[in-house]
Amino acid sequence: MLTTTKHPLNSYEKTKTQVTIQANSSLTIMFWQIGKRIQSDILENNRAEYGKQILVSLSRELTLNFGESFKEKNVRRMIQFYEKFPNSENVVTLSRHLSWSHFLVLIPLKTEEKRDFYSKIVFENLISVRELRKQISKKVYERTENADIQIQESNIIEKGVFKDPYLLDFLDLKSDYLENDLENAILKELELFLLELGNGFTFVERQKRMIIDGDDHYLDLLFYNRKLQRLVAIELKIDKFKAKYKGQMELYLKWLDKYEKQKDEKSPIGIILCSEASKEHIELLQTHKDGIMVAEYLTEVLPKKQLEKRLHQAILNAKERIESKKLRE
């Protein structure tokens, strides 16, 4: 009897997948090359009326000879593809995991930083086009940028990993929930919570018991991040951030560093999730220098435009505080 690992169907499926990936990659690279050729050699970077007429005529000819993929709208996308992703080596690398459909979602993004950010997410996590759209609509880039501003002077907490705020609307909490309700809801929807945390997080333990001077202390949630090679402690607060929360987290991190950290791991870091972050408190306490990230969470997600406006204002305020601090120094 054939074993599972040696079954010919396994080889067939593997080969079929490899062929599909190669075909998608070749198609994407071809569209990029066509966009480059049209923009550089035919239009000669000319977007005047004459250039538009050429494009119309060219797309008709290409459609007649090669099919519907070369309609004017699609040809314009190929040109935009070349313009937004001008580095051929980068396109070749990304095309191994990003399909043409992924790129069509990325092309309209306004900045190179956003396109690079979401490209990396797809490349590293192999997410679908649908999931990519969801990540963009949930403003993952802006929330990560907001978190990175808080920790930009930290030598402990890595950038590009955490968010602020975290969107926990999937927990379906009532308005009068308690901290225990929040913890129970997270554990019930652990898979969704891990997705919101980001790549590489693994759940370790809830209510981690620590005995310090004979007294019991309990950490709400303990995770491990494979990418960071660190334990990540999470404390849940249903109110506004208070200075005493930093001291509590510092104690927990030192205990974890002494008793739980493995030889090949880096020092633990902590996230304090609050219903409201006290920005000036956080800045004055310089929590990032102690490996502590403070972030808000939202149990009800705002409409897209309101969320965008809120994040934009939060980032502006954070940058203003940084500039003001530099002027005082």
Side-chain angles (χ1 to χ4, degrees), residues 128-182:
S128 66
V129 175
R130 181 181 179 183
E131 181 60 29
L132 173 60
R133 289 197 182 99
K134 188 185 295 184
Q135 295 274 317
I136 294 171
S137 68
K138 291 173 71 175
K139 304 296 176 186
V140 172
Y141 171 80
E142 288 83 357
R143 291 189 287 133
T144 304
E145 182 185 13
N146 193 33
D148 284 350
I149 290 172
Q150 180 189 148
I151 60 173
Q152 68 174 348
E153 296 179 359
S154 177
N155 296 320
I156 303 173
I157 308 176
E158 287 83 348
K159 295 179 179 61
V161 177
F162 302 103
K163 307 181 186 79
D164 183 21
Y166 284 89
L167 305 184
L168 307 183
D169 55 309
F170 53 84
L171 298 181
D172 195 27
L173 289 163
K174 296 180 180 179
S175 58
D176 57 346
Y177 65 90
L178 303 174
E179 284 182 5
N180 190 53
D181 298 325
L182 177 59

Side-chain angles (χ1 to χ4, degrees), residues 252-286:
Y252 293 170
L253 292 180
K254 289 184 185 300
W255 190 93
L256 290 169
D257 189 73
K258 183 175 182 179
Y259 296 107
E260 290 291 320
K261 185 184 73 172
Q262 300 297 311
K263 289 183 180 180
D264 58 342
E265 293 175 1
K266 300 176 185 177
S267 297
I269 56 177
I271 307 174
I272 302 174
L273 286 179
C274 301
S275 60
E276 184 179 349
S278 309
K279 299 299 183 184
E280 192 170 3
H281 272 74
I282 295 165
E283 182 183 341
L284 290 170
L285 290 170
Q286 297 185 312

